[in-house]
Amino acid sequence: MLEDKTWALINIDAPSWYINNTFRAVFDSRSSYDSIATCSPLELAPNLHQVLTSSHPPNIDFLQSLPKPVGRVWGVYVIVIKKIHCKPKIYIGSGTDAVYGVKHRLKSYENMEHRVLPRFVRQGYQDGYRLAHSGLLCWTPLPSAGLVPRVRARILALESIFTCLFHAKFKMITDEYYEHLLLWECDTVSWEPSCTHLPIKEKLVGDFKLTEEELEIIVAKQVQRRADRSKRHRETVRNKDIDAYLARDRIMKNAWAAKNRDKVNQTAAKVRGNALSSNRFSCDVCQMSLQSQIALDKHLLTQSHADSVAGIEKPEMSQYSINRKTIRANAKASGEHSCNTCNKSFDTNWALNRHNATPSHKKKLESV
């Protein structure tokens, strides 16, 4: 239904000045629109389909329940601003940053004086309204370089239809061009609009005369030029003062690691797993593979390693030790002693309590 209405909006019976003709040139047929839609599959916000098929508009709580972007995606978002004793206002927009996605655009609304704030969102902030929520109506993964202009056109078309359907734009005489597409009467919604126009009037960014392959080549060259320029700059700074360069580099890396702890842990776990599977850090005497050079160095200093070198055989495990080891392994596998916050299991309650006291667990607990 959403795709049908988007296509219908692009093809409404309206003067040429009402819609940027590039939209109709890019999507000159339903098959051309569908081909771009196939390359940029949409994920809808929870319950959005039910809302769009309902005879009544949702309340503001639905808009305030829309999810935040996860990862780098493009999407259509809703901004909700509120003021005590006043109707909430909404603004519908889209984020199509080719590198960072919609998250980069949403960040700007947190700064009430940001230079790219829409006119009436800025005015709302000046009048005492405050950001209540920002979330996505729909989203799609970042497209490949060759598809960027056309997928961006599709996202703007989706932004336009959502602006119409949710009555997020100030009423105008020209609304009659798309009134037949609306789901609900304007006076039935519980918010006020903040949009001034439909994005299908806007100029589209990108060269639509080039093929997908040509765009891929151009972007690849641009990326390489930026990488070369960055490399030359780093070399210049490094050669000028290597100590200052290394100190600044260390600070930046530590700051990134502190901000992206989950990514750091995932990468570290992957590196350790690869080291184990490849036997990169192994002790041939003890026939043991370890996760890192540090772990190997520690092992080489242990008494058990020294005994192996001396040819002293380890005593066989007692039945009690075997049973105890089995019990602990079963407890860990069953999740009897688990931390749902960190998604980790432990073999004893003591180990779980020790984990709960760690700074990493406490920090993650605060962020939940």
Side-chain angles (χ1 to χ4, degrees), residues 85-112:
H85 306 310
C86 295
K87 255 189 175 183
K89 297 176 182 285
I90 72 166
Y91 178 88
I92 291 181
S94 62
T96 56
D97 186 283
V99 178
Y100 300 106
V102 67
K103 188 181 294 185
H104 183 70
R105 185 71 179 90
L106 290 178
K107 194 76 175 174
S108 64
Y109 290 93
E110 298 174 9
N111 180 357
M112 293 191 293

Side-chain angles (χ1 to χ4, degrees), residues 3 30-42 140 147 151 154:
E3 302 290 10
R30 182 60 192 260
S31 61
S32 64
Y33 176 85
D34 289 342
S35 67
I36 297 300
T38 302
C39 296
S40 54
L42 281 185
T140 187
L147 291 172
V151 175
R154 181 184 181 227

Side-chain angles (χ1 to χ4, degrees), residues 25-72:
V26 173
F27 305 123
D28 57 353
S29 65
R30 182 60 192 260
S31 61
S32 64
Y33 176 85
D34 289 342
S35 67
I36 297 300
T38 302
C39 296
S40 54
L42 281 185
E43 189 164 347
L44 302 182
N47 301 318
L48 178 59
H49 177 73
Q50 291 88 324
V51 166
L52 295 179
T53 53
S54 172
S55 58
H56 303 286
N59 56 33
I60 197 68
D61 292 337
F62 168 73
L63 297 181
Q64 290 190 238
S65 71
L66 295 175
K68 299 285 187 180
V70 177
R72 298 183 181 186

Side-chain angles (χ1 to χ4, degrees), residues 16 20-21 27 60 96 167 200 211 232 324 333 348 364:
S16 58
N20 184 338
N21 286 328
F27 305 123
I60 197 68
T96 56
H167 296 283
I200 52 174
T211 65
R232 289 195 299 270
R324 185 63 181 165
T348 64
K364 186 165 286 189

